[in-house]
Amino acid sequence: MDMFDVPNDIEHRFRSSVQNEIVQSLSYPEMDYRYEDVVEAHPETYQWVFHEEREYHQLGSNLSGWLKEVDGVYWVNGKAGSKSTFMKYLPDTNQLRDYLGIWAGDVLLCVVSFFFWNSGTKLQKSQVGFLRALLFQVLSLHPDLVPVILPGVWALAYSNATRLEPLSLIFRWLLSQLMDAFRALGKQTSIPINICFLIDGLDEFDGNHDDMGELYKELTTSTHVKASLSSRPWIVFEDLFASCPKMYLQDVTYRDIEKYIGDRLNRSEQYRRLTDKHPEESLALGKEILEKADGVYLWVKLVVDSLLNGVRNRDEFADLWERLRLLPKDLEPLYCRFLGLVQSIYMPWFPQVFQILRANRDPSSASSVTRAPQPGIKPLSLSALFFAICKDVNSSSINSSTKRQHKARCDDTKVQLAAQCAGFLEVLILSGESFIGPESRIQCFHRTARDIIESELQWPQLLLETDNTHLDAYISMTKSCLLCIEFRIARKFLDDEMAITEVADEIKIYAASAAYTQPGILKLRKYLVRELSIVMDNYHGKEESYILQSLVAWVLRLRWAVAFFKLAWFQLLGKD
């Protein structure tokens, strides 16, 4: 579609620019969050996977042999809390690429990965997010594939670019588009390339598991595509991958877990003192943990953490044995026991945090009207939680506080999370940072923990704890976003227009979600009208910004919408 008689080098740069625009449009901020969050493998664990003589290969198909020689699907079957660390270990090793290099031969090799995360945003657990992430990785490495597997998008983008029209208007990725591109990737022969997909957590995919499994079986019929997929041992996957080579991870990690237990416990000076006095007790305790673990790393981690807490309290071996005896063997009752350890004085703060975290993760859950993915929502940060949950923070305190004071309040919030949430929540250091700060993210430390908290048994009980607080998590998050903008105004951060735009988008999403909660309608009108007028007053006289003007216009429209909701609600109740 060369439309001008231009030198080849200029045409090449032009095509590369259009290709890059298309590739970048596939990315989204939280694409790598789950990979970054998975715990690194303990040193020296999993190295056996590349040793073909390892006797554990008798318990499953030889993964190293599959990497070197076989196409198709390899299924890693692991219990909850045992598989993600293994799947993160694989792409981080040089051996993986060496073995795959034997399979690829002289053809270009491309290794891409995706970690489904049911506790994350909609894109992190949906087929659209999954396909966008994989296509982004492949096309980033080989952008010349764009016209091959996305011919329609390429033609339209190229045409728009020659007319100097913005390309952003055409990138509204649909599942059907992405599926066609994914299948085209497996079938294309224009650019020789061998691709290995490493996909963790098929059980965390928020969709039809049969369809996802069949998609990969179809794709890997090509001799230049293979995929290693991990999931829990569900029947649907047992049936789908019955004829595929596989590994039952809990059966082959015995020695790795044994080493992990010994290293973690012996890192404690106090535990080493106990071991010096009673070496036989130490050996027996480690063996008991190993046998009860049944291959589940997460259970081992929780149990060892509990034992080390006892060691710090100067427990003797008799006390440690009692601790171990009282800890349930399965994850669900173990979590329930930890929930029971939350001190009553920390209720209702503990469930309030979880309600806010849930509203942040899925703001559309307040509405029965739409379950469509919501753009623009960033994962909950320490700063956002502080703004949302702290009752004494307001416009006045925001305007008078310094960055150092704000960081100190966020540090206090981090300590509260550690002390009051029974270990269910963790604060993550941002990629590229070396310390926890106000923008560090908060999350459940594992998907299974979130499942227990939000189960039909536990969630209603936690909601009861906040009955007297009149908490509306959506309004709390709306408040948090407003205070974030005020903080940026007070600190003169308005030059970062993209960040202000993102926060403004979040206000709209949370406010719309709050409008669907019965008490939220009245609260929303009172709070938004008051606080947004303060935002506008503080901004008056400064250089005008299109972003803030747009937000103000939206708020004015929302005021009428809320008034309408209020009128309809009062009419429903039979009030004047």
Side-chain angles (χ1 to χ4, degrees):
M1 289 186 62
D2 297 350
M3 302 183 67
F4 302 105
D5 185 13
V6 295
N8 287 338
D9 61 331
I10 296 178
E11 166 63 13
H12 176 73
R13 289 199 298 271
F14 182 76
R15 290 174 64 90
S16 296
S17 175
V18 177
Q19 289 172 355
N20 184 62
E21 287 277 353
I22 294 173
V23 172
Q24 292 305 316
S25 73
L26 288 164
S27 70
Y28 51 94
E30 62 270 37
M31 196 163 57
D32 297 322
Y33 283 173
R34 176 55 177 160
Y35 174 84
E36 294 169 357
D37 295 344
V38 174
V39 177
E40 297 282 350
H42 189 67
E44 298 182 32
T45 58
Y46 298 137
Q47 293 184 11
W48 50 266
V49 77
F50 297 113
H51 298 163
E52 297 184 46
E53 71 280 3
R54 173 83 181 226
E55 66 272 19
Y56 284 171
H57 287 312
Q58 298 172 8
L59 301 172
S61 301
N62 187 330
L63 177 58
S64 57
W66 176 83
L67 290 170
K68 291 190 297 183
E69 301 169 2
V70 186
D71 305 317
V73 169
Y74 188 100
W75 181 38
V76 176
N77 173 327
K79 295 182 179 180
S82 67
K83 57 187 171 51
S84 293
T85 300
F86 176 76
M87 293 301 290
K88 181 175 182 177
Y89 167 80
L90 288 178
D92 287 344
T93 62
N94 292 327
Q95 295 102 313
L96 179 90
R97 289 190 175 273
D98 291 342
Y99 279 51
L100 286 173
I102 297 173
W103 165 68
D106 296 331
V107 179
L108 288 171
L109 174 65
C110 182
V111 181
V112 296
S113 61
F114 185 79
F115 286 66
F116 280 108
W117 193 22
N118 193 260
S119 296
T121 65
K122 287 183 178 294
L123 283 175
Q124 290 175 288
K125 56 187 175 183
S126 71
Q127 200 161 4
V128 168
F130 157 75
L131 293 172
R132 282 177 60 178
L134 293 183
L135 290 172
F136 171 78
Q137 292 176 65
V138 174
L139 296 177
S140 294
L141 296 170
H142 306 285
D144 287 340
L145 282 169
V146 171
V148 177
I149 68 172
L150 289 164
V153 173
W154 165 254
L156 184 56
Y158 189 97
S159 177
N160 279 23
T162 60
R163 296 195 301 269
L164 302 180
E165 293 180 3
L167 300 185
S168 59
L169 298 178
I170 68 171
F171 298 130
R172 300 291 184 270
W173 292 109
L174 302 176
L175 178 59
S176 57
Q177 279 180 310
L178 298 166
M179 289 287 285
D180 289 345
F182 203 55
R183 289 191 168 100
L185 180 64
K187 296 174 181 176
Q188 71 84 29
T189 56
S190 303
I191 300 177
I193 180 175
N194 278 24
I195 304 173
C196 178
F197 295 101
L198 303 173
I199 311 299
D200 176 58
L202 289 186
D203 52 288
E204 303 203 36
F205 165 53
D206 189 14
N208 189 300
H209 296 103
D210 281 301
D211 290 347
M212 178 61 75
E214 291 295 344
L215 172 65
Y216 262 100
K217 290 178 72 175
E218 173 192 340
L219 190 68
T220 55
T221 56
S222 167
T223 56
H224 62 269
V225 177
K226 63 168 63 182
S228 177
L229 314 173
S230 84
S231 74
R232 298 190 200 186
W234 290 0
I235 295 297
V236 61
F237 301 121
E238 291 276 7
D239 292 342
L240 277 169
F241 306 129
S243 60
C244 299
K246 61 183 69 68
M247 174 193 298
Y248 293 91
L249 198 57
Q250 59 270 18
D251 293 338
V252 297
T253 53
Y254 186 91
R255 291 186 181 178
D256 292 336
I257 291 178
E258 182 179 38
K259 182 168 182 57
Y260 173 84
I261 294 168
D263 288 354
R264 280 288 313 280
L265 290 175
N266 287 306
R267 223 179 283 163
S268 163
E269 184 178 348
Q270 182 60 25
Y271 187 82
R272 292 198 301 273
R273 291 197 193 103
L274 286 174
T275 300
D276 289 343
K277 291 190 292 185
H278 307 285
E280 69 289 345
E281 288 284 340
S282 177
L283 288 172
L285 186 68
K287 184 178 179 180
E288 183 71 10
I289 299 169
L290 187 61
E291 290 178 353
K292 294 180 81 171
D294 199 20
V296 180
Y297 258 110
L298 183 58
W299 185 89
V300 175
K301 178 187 181 303
L302 294 171
V303 168
V304 171
D305 285 346
S306 176
L307 294 178
L308 288 174
N309 283 335
V311 169
R312 280 188 286 273
N313 294 336
R314 299 302 187 265
D315 284 1
E316 296 293 334
F317 269 114
D319 305 309
L320 297 179
W321 276 103
E322 182 65 11
R323 275 180 179 268
L324 182 58
R325 186 186 68 79
L326 292 173
L327 294 175
K329 185 176 178 181
D330 295 322
L331 281 176
E332 182 170 345
L334 182 62
Y335 286 138
C336 292
R337 174 169 174 77
F338 288 155
L339 266 178
L341 297 177
V342 177
Q343 298 179 36
S344 58
I345 194 174
Y346 295 145
M347 296 290 189
W349 195 87
F350 171 77
Q352 282 182 326
V353 172
F354 273 95
Q355 289 179 60
I356 289 170
L357 191 64
R358 187 177 188 178
N360 166 258
R361 187 184 76 247
D362 189 10
S364 66
S365 62
S367 166
S368 60
V369 176
T370 176
R371 296 289 298 174
Q374 297 283 5
I377 292 292
K378 293 172 60 179
L380 190 69
S381 66
L382 274 174
S383 181
L385 176 62
F386 165 64
F387 286 148
I389 204 168
C390 186
K391 292 182 173 61
D392 63 356
V393 62
N394 52 39
S395 301
S396 176
S397 61
I398 285 292
N399 286 314
S400 62
S401 65
T402 64
K403 285 178 66 176
R404 179 175 294 183
Q405 290 170 332
H406 179 64
K407 183 181 182 304
R409 297 297 297 270
C410 291
D411 287 343
D412 291 342
T413 304
K414 179 189 70 175
V415 173
Q416 286 178 292
L417 287 171
Q420 301 181 25
C421 292
F424 280 90
L425 297 177
E426 61 184 4
V427 183
L428 303 172
I429 298 175
L430 292 172
S431 179
E433 299 285 348
S434 58
F435 58 88
I436 290 175
E439 298 308 312
S440 296
R441 292 184 289 115
I442 301 167
Q443 67 172 36
C444 258
F445 85 98
H446 196 267
R447 175 255 178 102
T448 52
R450 193 211 72 181
D451 288 347
I452 295 301
I453 291 288
E454 297 184 6
S455 67
E456 293 182 0
L457 175 64
Q458 296 294 341
W459 190 250
Q461 295 180 28
L462 290 175
L463 293 181
L464 284 175
E465 297 288 347
T466 62
D467 263 1
N468 296 328
T469 66
H470 307 295
L471 173 76
D472 186 310
Y474 302 103
I475 290 180
S476 294
M477 284 308 300
T478 305
K479 166 195 169 187
S480 175
C481 293
L482 287 166
L483 291 174
C484 176
I485 287 183
E486 292 190 57
F487 185 74
R488 287 181 173 276
I489 292 171
R491 305 282 82 76
K492 298 182 174 59
F493 291 159
L494 279 177
D495 56 321
D496 186 2
E497 291 199 347
M498 182 58 71
I500 296 293
T501 302
E502 291 171 356
V503 179
D505 287 342
E506 290 186 25
I507 288 176
K508 297 175 184 179
I509 294 169
Y510 287 125
S513 296
Y516 286 99
T517 61
Q518 295 176 7
I521 297 170
L522 302 178
K523 288 186 188 178
L524 189 66
R525 185 183 71 84
K526 292 177 181 177
Y527 182 77
L528 278 181
V529 171
R530 183 183 71 247
E531 289 297 320
L532 280 160
S533 65
I534 294 173
V535 173
M536 289 183 278
D537 289 344
N538 287 341
Y539 195 67
H540 182 69
K542 297 182 173 69
E543 181 182 355
E544 289 300 321
S545 163
Y546 171 76
I547 299 165
L548 203 60
Q549 286 180 27
S550 298
L551 178 59
V552 170
W554 184 87
V555 171
L556 293 175
R557 292 195 300 273
L558 182 66
R559 186 188 300 190
W560 287 104
V562 172
F564 171 79
F565 280 127
K566 180 183 177 184
L567 176 62
W569 183 248
F570 275 21
Q571 286 176 343
L572 182 64
L573 295 177
K575 298 181 180 181
D576 295 330

